[in-house]
Amino acid sequence: MNADGPDPLPSGRQRGSEDLSIRPALAIPSSEFRRAGHALIEAIADHLDTLSSRPVTLAEPPHRIRALIGGDDPLPERGTDPTDLLLESARILFEHSLFNGHPRYFGYITSSPAHIGILAEALAAAVNSNVGSYTLAPVATEIEAQTIRWVAELIGYPTDCGGLLVSGGNMANLVGFITARTARTTGDVPAAGLVGSGCPALRVYCSRETHTWIQKAADVTGLGTESIRWIPTDASLRMDASQLRSAMLADQQAGDLPLLVVGTAGSVSTGAIDPLYEIADVCREFGAWFHVDGAYGGFAAALRAEYPDLGALGLADSVAVDPHKWLYAPLEAGCALVRNRDLLHDAFSYHPPYYHFGEEATNYVDYGLQNSRGFRTLKVWLGLRHAGRDGYARRIEEDIALATRLAQRLRENGEFEVITCSLSIVTFRYVPEDARERLHDEQTRAYLDRLNESLLDDVQRSGEAFVSNAVIAGRYALRACIVNFNTRAADVDALPGIVAQRGRVIHTALRREEAG
Ligand SMILES: Cc1ncc(COP(=O)(O)O)c(C=O)c1O
């Protein structure tokens, strides 16, 4: 009994007739917590041990998955034993998910999850720090600050920059975009808006290969997607810097403001790296903000000698990188860096009366869009400590070497046309023998597009391997991307055979369809 009346009842219990079979909701007794945790870790370890012998995906339709999880059941009235729940969930997840950590997953740019990151997620949840303010998260805040410095150091960016962890590349790029909008416009755009502030029409520039985050950013910041100037690329799909200059000059002469240029360090489709030094020069000439989308390739700057253009990351006003790509952090972890930390702060800092956080420490609520913030930094920080700079550099190098090996194997196979190979992305097409002599006629091109699109679908559903696609100069291509510490040479060597065998079957079926 407390002074104000009876103790509140734990939910699920009835006073008087204490029904102990109904547990107080949510709190799990210590001995049971340990049992559930140990059992879960065993299940996860078994999953990791056996992953390579299982299909990448079962490619099951939604109704099958809904049936498995009881997707049409109503909300349960009463709870269930936590160990049973966890093990049942683990079984369903491990038997029916698509695994981007599978050695033969060559799909989109999501990495195999670092083992230490898997454990870090549980540790972070146990502390449950709210990394919006130092007061609420003293250790986590300093860990985030150190992570920002280390990420900057790894890619050759000034370590006194501002920055923060976000959910992924889209959000990291958006942080750079918003900071540029506030920092480089005259008038008070955050308060008055684009029209009210009287600023000229704002223009942003990026290559045609830029990821779709740019449209979302232009849209939500009020610039509109029509403010984007899509700069053509050269034969290697790198932005043509002279065309960039011409476009900026034309806008400036028309009275518009060239606000921001996006250089991409590793494009989403082919891994192309824009000529970042040249772009930096053009930005300087026009006083434009230089942002680099390094969501995919930024961490290859750890291998600076091989990719001299990535040295220019250090010149950017802001950079986005994605620890959940080439630092192998489990989803989600993106990271925004801004050279001038004050500009980042100015773009996001408001001081509501209901917070008492103090100014002498870093309060991440003042550096980004989120208010309450999880401790996603922990998995990145532990990954950096576990692998070290050298560990990451060697692993990234290995992924790139595997991609180069894949391109070689595809060429040796003779049934493929390799279109690009850059960083750890290879794009290629299956080309049946009877099409090889007529690669450039329109009918053959259209047929190869159709064939490769069907082939992509077939390979993805096979569970033997998983590739994605790209459209390059109007041609439909298959795309293999390796950001995966589980992939071995044997997996790469197997891919051409898997795809070619399926390609032959689909080609025969399509030709038969056409004939009949
Ligand atoms: C170059 C590039 N930018 C941005 C993104 C978006 O990153 P995220 O999916 O983490 O939001 C990607 C994703 O692949 C990318 O490759």
Side-chain angles (χ1 to χ4, degrees), residues 109 168-170 173 211 213 266 268 293 295-296 322 324-325:
I109 317 173
N170 266 28
N173 282 306
H211 187 277
W213 72 265
V268 59
D293 175 6
Y296 163 44
D322 245 358
H324 68 206
K325 294 188 169 67

Side-chain angles (χ1 to χ4, degrees), residues 394-465:
R394 279 189 291 121
R395 188 54 244 175
I396 291 170
E397 217 165 22
E398 181 71 9
D399 283 345
I400 293 170
L402 285 168
T404 309
R405 181 184 178 108
L406 174 61
Q408 215 172 317
R409 293 286 176 269
L410 287 162
R411 285 192 192 101
E412 286 162 9
N413 178 287
E415 291 178 84
F416 294 97
E417 178 192 6
V418 173
I419 303 173
T420 64
C421 177
S422 181
L423 291 173
S424 66
I425 295 179
V426 183
T427 60
F428 58 101
R429 291 198 301 175
Y430 176 70
V431 182
E433 199 175 352
D434 58 13
R436 258 167 248 162
E437 300 303 313
R438 291 173 284 114
L439 271 183
H440 299 295
D441 82 45
E442 261 323 299
Q443 228 180 342
T444 308
R445 285 178 65 136
Y447 176 72
L448 288 177
D449 285 351
R450 211 170 126 223
L451 170 60
N452 279 278
E453 193 167 357
S454 301
L455 181 52
L456 175 79
D457 199 47
D458 186 61
V459 173
Q460 287 192 344
R461 286 168 185 283
S462 73
E464 286 189 83

